Amino acid sequence: TQCQNVLAYKIGTVYPNHQVIIGAHRDAVTTSPGADDNGSGTAAVLEIARALKDIPTDVTIIFSLYDAEENGLFGSADYVKRAKARGDSIVYMLYLDMIAHLTNNAEANIFHGPALQYSNLWITLADSLAGITGILAGTSGGSDHYPFQQKGYEVSFVAERIFSTVYHTYRDSTSMMNFEYMTRMVKASLATAYTVSQ
């Protein structure tokens, strides 16, 4: 089966050769509508792109929707392998996956690699701007940030604190999402990505 990542580029005005990547996976398992996993992350990336469209940023921002995450992180692994071979200067990879399940309100998991600077920034901004307490949750190999982490790039994987009760089932629909919480998760992520980009 052929798979396809979807990428959009906002070229930096000062340091165009340095990049911040904002990503999510756009696929879902065949048994599920995929609203939280990962329609929520996909919508977040699109909304952040919309909000930043006319705002200059010092570095280039790449809005990335990866395919085939559910099959083994194939889309992101292919992307980062090519990026590393090109010598891309990726300052930060911010990844959003499952950010809206109904049982969540005020906390989020922040999975990370060895470097914590930007994960801690997300936590600071989420607390002050969005009323969300971010919790450093260690390393996770379960989503598309991980190939970037393996290649040595700084990553944050932002996810709901209370894991979905309808994960990978037919019940993962919009009726099981807390859109008010999701909005605040997107705001915190937007603030973090913009701050790093400057």
PDB file of all heavy atoms in Angstrom, residues 155-172:
ATOM      1  N   VAL A 155      12.599  16.591  21.114  1.00  0.00           N
ATOM      2  CA  VAL A 155      11.189  16.309  20.840  1.00  0.00           C
ATOM      3  C   VAL A 155      10.333  16.523  22.088  1.00  0.00           C
ATOM      4  O   VAL A 155      10.810  16.386  23.216  1.00  0.00           O
ATOM      5  CB  VAL A 155      10.985  14.848  20.348  1.00  0.00           C
ATOM      6  CG1 VAL A 155      11.776  14.580  19.085  1.00  0.00           C
ATOM      7  CG2 VAL A 155      11.367  13.834  21.437  1.00  0.00           C
ATOM      8  N   SER A 156       9.080  16.847  21.847  1.00  0.00           N
ATOM      9  CA  SER A 156       8.025  16.763  22.862  1.00  0.00           C
ATOM     10  C   SER A 156       6.831  16.062  22.220  1.00  0.00           C
ATOM     11  O   SER A 156       6.412  16.441  21.130  1.00  0.00           O
ATOM     12  CB  SER A 156       7.578  18.145  23.348  1.00  0.00           C
ATOM     13  OG  SER A 156       8.623  18.866  23.934  1.00  0.00           O
ATOM     14  N   PHE A 157       6.307  15.066  22.882  1.00  0.00           N
ATOM     15  CA  PHE A 157       5.096  14.373  22.441  1.00  0.00           C
ATOM     16  C   PHE A 157       4.013  14.713  23.463  1.00  0.00           C
ATOM     17  O   PHE A 157       4.044  14.257  24.598  1.00  0.00           O
ATOM     18  CB  PHE A 157       5.384  12.876  22.350  1.00  0.00           C
ATOM     19  CG  PHE A 157       4.176  11.967  22.277  1.00  0.00           C
ATOM     20  CD1 PHE A 157       2.929  12.411  21.856  1.00  0.00           C
ATOM     21  CD2 PHE A 157       4.295  10.620  22.606  1.00  0.00           C
ATOM     22  CE1 PHE A 157       1.829  11.559  21.788  1.00  0.00           C
ATOM     23  CE2 PHE A 157       3.217   9.760  22.538  1.00  0.00           C
ATOM     24  CZ  PHE A 157       1.986  10.231  22.139  1.00  0.00           C
ATOM     25  N   VAL A 158       3.077  15.557  23.040  1.00  0.00           N
ATOM     26  CA  VAL A 158       2.006  16.048  23.904  1.00  0.00           C
ATOM     27  C   VAL A 158       0.785  15.130  23.747  1.00  0.00           C
ATOM     28  O   VAL A 158       0.338  14.868  22.623  1.00  0.00           O
ATOM     29  CB  VAL A 158       1.636  17.498  23.536  1.00  0.00           C
ATOM     30  CG1 VAL A 158       0.458  17.985  24.366  1.00  0.00           C
ATOM     31  CG2 VAL A 158       2.850  18.412  23.699  1.00  0.00           C
ATOM     32  N   ALA A 159       0.263  14.669  24.875  1.00  0.00           N
ATOM     33  CA  ALA A 159      -0.890  13.750  24.841  1.00  0.00           C
ATOM     34  C   ALA A 159      -1.773  13.988  26.060  1.00  0.00           C
ATOM     35  O   ALA A 159      -1.334  14.529  27.083  1.00  0.00           O
ATOM     36  CB  ALA A 159      -0.412  12.298  24.824  1.00  0.00           C
ATOM     37  N   GLU A 160      -3.030  13.563  25.932  1.00  0.00           N
ATOM     38  CA  GLU A 160      -3.955  13.631  27.059  1.00  0.00           C
ATOM     39  C   GLU A 160      -3.394  12.855  28.255  1.00  0.00           C
ATOM     40  O   GLU A 160      -2.690  11.850  28.080  1.00  0.00           O
ATOM     41  CB  GLU A 160      -5.317  13.062  26.643  1.00  0.00           C
ATOM     42  CG  GLU A 160      -5.247  11.603  26.182  1.00  0.00           C
ATOM     43  CD  GLU A 160      -6.326  11.230  25.179  1.00  0.00           C
ATOM     44  OE1 GLU A 160      -6.899  12.124  24.558  1.00  0.00           O
ATOM     45  OE2 GLU A 160      -6.576  10.013  25.016  1.00  0.00           O
ATOM     46  N   ARG A 161      -3.697  13.343  29.449  1.00  0.00           N
ATOM     47  CA  ARG A 161      -3.183  12.692  30.663  1.00  0.00           C
ATOM     48  C   ARG A 161      -3.897  11.370  30.935  1.00  0.00           C
ATOM     49  O   ARG A 161      -3.272  10.368  31.244  1.00  0.00           O
ATOM     50  CB  ARG A 161      -3.345  13.638  31.866  1.00  0.00           C
ATOM     51  CG  ARG A 161      -2.900  13.052  33.198  1.00  0.00           C
ATOM     52  CD  ARG A 161      -1.425  12.765  33.231  1.00  0.00           C
ATOM     53  NE  ARG A 161      -1.016  12.299  34.561  1.00  0.00           N
ATOM     54  CZ  ARG A 161       0.159  11.772  34.812  1.00  0.00           C
ATOM     55  NH1 ARG A 161       1.067  11.633  33.857  1.00  0.00           N
ATOM     56  NH2 ARG A 161       0.458  11.379  36.033  1.00  0.00           N
ATOM     57  N   ILE A 162      -5.239  11.382  30.850  1.00  0.00           N
ATOM     58  CA  ILE A 162      -6.017  10.155  31.077  1.00  0.00           C
ATOM     59  C   ILE A 162      -6.255   9.504  29.721  1.00  0.00           C
ATOM     60  O   ILE A 162      -6.958  10.057  28.864  1.00  0.00           O
ATOM     61  CB  ILE A 162      -7.350  10.464  31.777  1.00  0.00           C
ATOM     62  CG1 ILE A 162      -7.096  11.177  33.110  1.00  0.00           C
ATOM     63  CG2 ILE A 162      -8.147   9.184  32.005  1.00  0.00           C
ATOM     64  CD1 ILE A 162      -8.354  11.721  33.762  1.00  0.00           C
ATOM     65  N   PHE A 163      -5.664   8.350  29.523  1.00  0.00           N
ATOM     66  CA  PHE A 163      -5.685   7.690  28.225  1.00  0.00           C
ATOM     67  C   PHE A 163      -7.113   7.303  27.830  1.00  0.00           C
ATOM     68  O   PHE A 163      -7.920   6.913  28.671  1.00  0.00           O
ATOM     69  CB  PHE A 163      -4.798   6.444  28.272  1.00  0.00           C
ATOM     70  CG  PHE A 163      -4.500   5.859  26.927  1.00  0.00           C
ATOM     71  CD1 PHE A 163      -3.581   6.451  26.085  1.00  0.00           C
ATOM     72  CD2 PHE A 163      -5.146   4.705  26.516  1.00  0.00           C
ATOM     73  CE1 PHE A 163      -3.295   5.899  24.842  1.00  0.00           C
ATOM     74  CE2 PHE A 163      -4.874   4.150  25.283  1.00  0.00           C
ATOM     75  CZ  PHE A 163      -3.947   4.747  24.437  1.00  0.00           C
ATOM     76  N   SER A 164      -7.387   7.412  26.557  1.00  0.00           N
ATOM     77  CA  SER A 164      -8.731   7.154  26.023  1.00  0.00           C
ATOM     78  C   SER A 164      -9.276   5.793  26.429  1.00  0.00           C
ATOM     79  O   SER A 164      -8.585   4.774  26.344  1.00  0.00           O
ATOM     80  CB  SER A 164      -8.696   7.252  24.497  1.00  0.00           C
ATOM     81  OG  SER A 164      -9.937   6.857  23.951  1.00  0.00           O
ATOM     82  N   THR A 165     -10.526   5.788  26.832  1.00  0.00           N
ATOM     83  CA  THR A 165     -11.210   4.536  27.170  1.00  0.00           C
ATOM     84  C   THR A 165     -11.781   3.846  25.931  1.00  0.00           C
ATOM     85  O   THR A 165     -12.301   2.735  26.031  1.00  0.00           O
ATOM     86  CB  THR A 165     -12.363   4.812  28.162  1.00  0.00           C
ATOM     87  OG1 THR A 165     -13.266   5.747  27.561  1.00  0.00           O
ATOM     88  CG2 THR A 165     -11.830   5.368  29.473  1.00  0.00           C
ATOM     89  N   VAL A 166     -11.711   4.520  24.768  1.00  0.00           N
ATOM     90  CA  VAL A 166     -12.279   3.951  23.542  1.00  0.00           C
ATOM     91  C   VAL A 166     -11.196   3.807  22.456  1.00  0.00           C
ATOM     92  O   VAL A 166     -11.489   3.753  21.271  1.00  0.00           O
ATOM     93  CB  VAL A 166     -13.461   4.801  23.027  1.00  0.00           C
ATOM     94  CG1 VAL A 166     -14.622   4.736  24.008  1.00  0.00           C
ATOM     95  CG2 VAL A 166     -13.052   6.250  22.780  1.00  0.00           C
ATOM     96  N   TYR A 167      -9.957   3.728  22.878  1.00  0.00           N
ATOM     97  CA  TYR A 167      -8.794   3.641  21.994  1.00  0.00           C
ATOM     98  C   TYR A 167      -8.929   2.499  20.996  1.00  0.00           C
ATOM     99  O   TYR A 167      -9.215   1.358  21.382  1.00  0.00           O
ATOM    100  CB  TYR A 167      -7.553   3.454  22.871  1.00  0.00           C
ATOM    101  CG  TYR A 167      -6.258   3.174  22.166  1.00  0.00           C
ATOM    102  CD1 TYR A 167      -5.637   4.148  21.398  1.00  0.00           C
ATOM    103  CD2 TYR A 167      -5.629   1.944  22.321  1.00  0.00           C
ATOM    104  CE1 TYR A 167      -4.417   3.894  20.780  1.00  0.00           C
ATOM    105  CE2 TYR A 167      -4.408   1.685  21.717  1.00  0.00           C
ATOM    106  CZ  TYR A 167      -3.812   2.669  20.940  1.00  0.00           C
ATOM    107  OH  TYR A 167      -2.611   2.423  20.340  1.00  0.00           O
ATOM    108  N   HIS A 168      -8.758   2.813  19.731  1.00  0.00           N
ATOM    109  CA  HIS A 168      -8.761   1.831  18.632  1.00  0.00           C
ATOM    110  C   HIS A 168     -10.068   1.046  18.539  1.00  0.00           C
ATOM    111  O   HIS A 168     -10.074  -0.122  18.140  1.00  0.00           O
ATOM    112  CB  HIS A 168      -7.575   0.862  18.769  1.00  0.00           C
ATOM    113  CG  HIS A 168      -6.273   1.463  18.332  1.00  0.00           C
ATOM    114  ND1 HIS A 168      -5.112   0.720  18.206  1.00  0.00           N
ATOM    115  CD2 HIS A 168      -5.934   2.736  17.985  1.00  0.00           C
ATOM    116  CE1 HIS A 168      -4.124   1.509  17.800  1.00  0.00           C
ATOM    117  NE2 HIS A 168      -4.611   2.738  17.662  1.00  0.00           N
ATOM    118  N   THR A 169     -11.187   1.683  18.906  1.00  0.00           N
ATOM    119  CA  THR A 169     -12.481   1.027  18.764  1.00  0.00           C
ATOM    120  C   THR A 169     -13.419   1.899  17.930  1.00  0.00           C
ATOM    121  O   THR A 169     -13.127   3.068  17.669  1.00  0.00           O
ATOM    122  CB  THR A 169     -13.149   0.768  20.131  1.00  0.00           C
ATOM    123  OG1 THR A 169     -13.636   2.016  20.660  1.00  0.00           O
ATOM    124  CG2 THR A 169     -12.175   0.134  21.117  1.00  0.00           C
ATOM    125  N   TYR A 170     -14.552   1.347  17.586  1.00  0.00           N
ATOM    126  CA  TYR A 170     -15.552   2.076  16.806  1.00  0.00           C
ATOM    127  C   TYR A 170     -16.131   3.249  17.588  1.00  0.00           C
ATOM    128  O   TYR A 170     -16.774   4.127  17.020  1.00  0.00           O
ATOM    129  CB  TYR A 170     -16.675   1.127  16.382  1.00  0.00           C
ATOM    130  CG  TYR A 170     -17.582   0.699  17.511  1.00  0.00           C
ATOM    131  CD1 TYR A 170     -18.755   1.394  17.786  1.00  0.00           C
ATOM    132  CD2 TYR A 170     -17.259  -0.389  18.326  1.00  0.00           C
ATOM    133  CE1 TYR A 170     -19.590   1.019  18.836  1.00  0.00           C
ATOM    134  CE2 TYR A 170     -18.076  -0.762  19.375  1.00  0.00           C
ATOM    135  CZ  TYR A 170     -19.235  -0.060  19.624  1.00  0.00           C
ATOM    136  OH  TYR A 170     -20.047  -0.432  20.664  1.00  0.00           O
ATOM    137  N   ARG A 171     -15.885   3.295  18.895  1.00  0.00           N
ATOM    138  CA  ARG A 171     -16.445   4.359  19.743  1.00  0.00           C
ATOM    139  C   ARG A 171     -15.558   5.600  19.799  1.00  0.00           C
ATOM    140  O   ARG A 171     -15.921   6.591  20.430  1.00  0.00           O
ATOM    141  CB  ARG A 171     -16.682   3.820  21.156  1.00  0.00           C
ATOM    142  CG  ARG A 171     -17.735   2.721  21.217  1.00  0.00           C
ATOM    143  CD  ARG A 171     -17.975   2.287  22.644  1.00  0.00           C
ATOM    144  NE  ARG A 171     -18.481   3.392  23.453  1.00  0.00           N
ATOM    145  CZ  ARG A 171     -18.161   3.591  24.738  1.00  0.00           C
ATOM    146  NH1 ARG A 171     -17.337   2.772  25.350  1.00  0.00           N
ATOM    147  NH2 ARG A 171     -18.667   4.613  25.391  1.00  0.00           N
ATOM    148  N   ASP A 172     -14.399   5.576  19.133  1.00  0.00           N
ATOM    149  CA  ASP A 172     -13.525   6.760  19.130  1.00  0.00           C
ATOM    150  C   ASP A 172     -14.088   7.789  18.155  1.00  0.00           C
ATOM    151  O   ASP A 172     -13.568   8.039  17.078  1.00  0.00           O
ATOM    152  CB  ASP A 172     -12.092   6.374  18.749  1.00  0.00           C
ATOM    153  CG  ASP A 172     -11.137   7.573  18.795  1.00  0.00           C
ATOM    154  OD1 ASP A 172     -11.530   8.636  19.305  1.00  0.00           O
ATOM    155  OD2 ASP A 172     -10.005   7.435  18.298  1.00  0.00           O
TER     156      ASP A 172
END
